[in-house]
């Protein structure tokens, strides 16, 4: 993001209209989140967690991939919290990149709001918020609306999985999980407005696919982000020098 966008913060306080707009914009992607939340609730009980422990994990951790991995490790008999925490930390290293890109906006907000939005950061809320930044600048109310709506939806879906999951066939078999990648693509395509953005998108996609095939865990995400960022920075530098 260039300096002009970095400086474009539409407000510092919170307003309800923007909050609810963020919640509405997050609605479509929730169709894909709900089956995963229900599955998380079912998996927690299957791994031997109590209903309270399963729900509290969603309330306190709020990281889908990390929760699935943590639950799987617990179910496999791995009880050492050090290795579980370290493994989930590696899975969520991409949050460092997402947080760094939002830092210029968050540092202008009250500390309490910075902490809350950092805790609520997810791939989905990040994508929706960044799309809004490109369209109308950063708005903390909008960001909070997106993030809180996702948090509440995830936690309620986990509760549903805990209490009624045994009566529901595999939620992921519904096919609704396709809503998430489809929404990401809808958010991405309007950003592909020049040669640099198209090239970076293609490079990131190729590295992500190759990394998913040959790298362990979620390292393909980190690799794709880092390489695409470097390539994009070099291309932007060449463009400025040429102009």
């Amino acid at each position: 993001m260039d300096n002009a966008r970095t400086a474009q913060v539409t407000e510092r306080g919170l307003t309800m209209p923007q909050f609810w707009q963020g919640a509405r914009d997050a609605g479509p992607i929730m169709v894909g989140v709900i089956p995963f939340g229900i599955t998380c609730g079912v998996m927690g009980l299957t791994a031997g967690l109590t209903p309270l422990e399963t729900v509290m994990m969603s309330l306190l951790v709020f990281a889908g991939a990390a929760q699935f991995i943590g639950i799987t490790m617990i179910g496999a008999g791995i009880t050492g919290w050090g290795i579980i925490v370290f493994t989930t930390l590696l899975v969520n290293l991409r949050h460092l990149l997402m947080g760094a890109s939002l830092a210029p906006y968050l540092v202008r907000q009250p500390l309490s709001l910075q902490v809350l939005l950092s805790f609520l950061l997810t791939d989905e809320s990040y994508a929706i918020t960044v799309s809004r930044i490109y369209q109308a600048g950063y708005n903390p109310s909008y960001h909070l609306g997106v993030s809180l709506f996702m948090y509440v939806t995830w936690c309620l879906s986990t509760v549903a999985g805990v209490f009624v999951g045994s009566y529901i066939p595999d939620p992921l078999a519904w096919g609704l999980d396709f809503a998430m990648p489809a929404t990401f693509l809808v958010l991405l395509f309007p950003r592909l407005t020049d040669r640099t953005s198209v090239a970076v998108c293609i490079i990131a996609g190729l590295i992500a696919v190759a990394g998913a095939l040959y790298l362990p865990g979620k390292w393909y995400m980190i690799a794709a982000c880092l390489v695409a960022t470097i390539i994009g920075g070099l291309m932007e530098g060449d463009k400025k020098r040429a102009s």
Side-chain angles (χ1 to χ4, degrees):
M1 296 181 190
D2 56 30
N3 292 334
R5 288 197 182 98
T6 299
Q8 191 177 6
V9 180
T10 56
E11 65 178 57
R12 192 173 188 274
L14 297 177
T15 59
M16 293 310 295
Q18 287 297 324
F19 175 89
W20 290 115
Q21 182 62 51
R24 286 192 295 271
D25 287 353
I29 208 168
M30 292 301 99
V31 176
V33 169
I34 290 173
F36 283 97
I38 294 174
T39 302
C40 183
V42 174
M43 284 183 61
L45 298 183
T46 303
L49 298 178
T50 67
L52 178 60
E53 288 170 339
T54 303
V55 173
M56 289 302 293
M57 178 180 279
S58 283
L59 288 172
L60 299 178
V61 178
F62 185 48
Q67 288 180 237
F68 282 122
I69 290 174
I71 289 173
T72 300
M73 294 176 73
I74 293 171
I78 301 174
T79 57
W81 289 107
I83 186 63
I84 294 176
V85 170
F86 180 71
T87 302
T88 54
L89 174 64
L90 292 180
V91 170
N92 285 319
L93 281 178
R94 67 191 186 280
H95 283 232
L96 293 175
L97 300 175
M98 293 189 291
S101 72
L102 291 175
Y105 310 103
L106 292 181
V107 295
R108 305 183 182 197
Q109 307 306 318
L111 180 60
S112 57
L113 186 58
Q114 293 181 41
V115 172
L116 177 60
L117 291 174
S118 297
F119 167 72
L120 295 174
L121 180 64
T122 63
D123 300 323
E124 297 82 4
S125 65
Y126 173 80
I128 296 171
T129 301
V130 168
S131 179
R132 153 72 191 226
I133 291 173
Y134 273 90
Q135 296 171 1
Y138 178 79
N139 187 292
S141 301
Y142 182 92
H143 189 180
L144 184 62
V146 171
S147 301
L148 273 182
F149 184 55
M150 295 195 65
Y151 177 72
V152 171
T153 301
W154 175 258
C155 293
L156 290 179
S157 299
T158 303
V159 171
V162 166
F163 291 104
V164 302
S166 60
Y167 303 101
I168 302 175
D170 182 8
L172 298 183
W174 301 346
L176 297 179
D177 51 305
F178 179 72
M180 283 199 286
T183 303
F184 282 131
L185 290 176
V186 170
L187 295 172
L188 171 65
F189 286 150
R191 308 279 77 79
L192 305 180
T193 57
D194 55 29
R195 188 182 68 173
T196 299
S197 59
V198 172
V200 169
C201 177
I202 293 174
I203 291 170
L206 292 175
I207 293 175
V209 172
L213 293 174
Y214 299 109
L215 294 177
K218 302 294 182 178
W219 283 102
Y220 66 93
M221 295 183 184
I222 304 299
C225 289
L226 289 176
V227 174
T229 299
I230 293 172
I231 297 298
L234 292 174
M235 294 181 69
E236 286 288 344
D238 291 340
K239 185 191 299 184
K240 291 180 180 179
R241 284 192 293 271
S243 61

